[in-house]
Amino acid sequence: MFALAILILFWVMLLSNMITEMVFGQRLERGFAGLLCLISVGMVIANALVSPAFLASIGSGSDILILLIAWVLALKSNRYWPIWFAAMQSLSVITHFVSLIVDGVPHLIFSNLAAVWALPALLTMSWGTIQDWRARRPGRAAPLTDAASG
């Protein structure tokens, strides 16, 4: 039941995030949101085509890919949300690695724990995008960071 709730919340958050990024985001946010949607749809397709053991490897690999891209964005962007997103994605990937080390705990617990970090990460991305949009509006004070690079 918990896994189903996480799955439903994830897809609602992903859809909400995609709408937020399309309406309020710039190229960076739209591209990253598109990548997250593409990977998520790819995971649904992989779920129908491959064995559960191989699917777990694909899921871990996709989380590591998202982590690497998120950290590149966090280090090169003038926005704050990529730092928070990368931190939460780091927790998700660390949870994957801990599940390989720890014995006696069902794998489902670790996979749900790893997946649950996606929800606040998507929420942070959406919130940060809206805050950046508000700061870019005419008549507002300029953000403290260099807005020319975004």
Side-chain angles (χ1 to χ4, degrees):
M1 186 65 160
F2 182 71
L4 180 60
I6 296 292
L7 183 65
I8 291 170
L9 282 172
F10 171 77
W11 284 102
V12 168
M13 281 300 304
L14 188 66
L15 178 62
S16 299
N17 179 268
M18 193 67 185
I19 292 168
T20 301
E21 305 316 318
M22 291 303 135
V23 172
F24 299 107
Q26 292 182 312
R27 186 171 43 169
L28 170 77
E29 290 86 2
R30 290 176 182 166
F32 192 60
L35 174 74
L36 294 175
C37 284
L38 185 65
I39 289 173
S40 299
V41 170
M43 286 301 297
V44 170
I45 294 168
N47 189 32
L49 299 176
V50 301
S51 69
F54 190 59
L55 184 65
S57 298
I58 294 172
S60 295
S62 68
D63 278 346
I64 291 169
L65 175 66
I66 293 169
L67 174 68
L68 295 174
I69 294 169
W71 274 111
V72 167
L73 291 178
L75 294 172
K76 293 189 176 223
S77 175
N78 65 340
R79 297 165 178 87
Y80 290 111
W81 70 259
I83 297 168
W84 288 96
F85 189 99
M88 290 178 220
Q89 187 65 21
S90 295
L91 291 170
S92 180
V93 170
I94 289 167
T95 304
H96 283 298
F97 286 120
V98 168
S99 73
L100 299 173
I101 298 169
V102 175
D103 289 329
V105 179
H107 181 70
L108 185 61
I109 290 174
F110 281 112
S111 62
N112 284 332
L113 185 58
V116 82
W117 283 109
L119 302 175
L122 289 170
L123 184 63
T124 299
M125 182 178 171
S126 294
W127 179 259
T129 299
I130 291 170
Q131 294 304 311
D132 290 340
W133 172 78
R134 286 181 178 168
R136 287 191 312 268
R137 289 189 319 192
R140 298 289 302 223
L144 298 175
T145 57
D146 178 20
S149 64

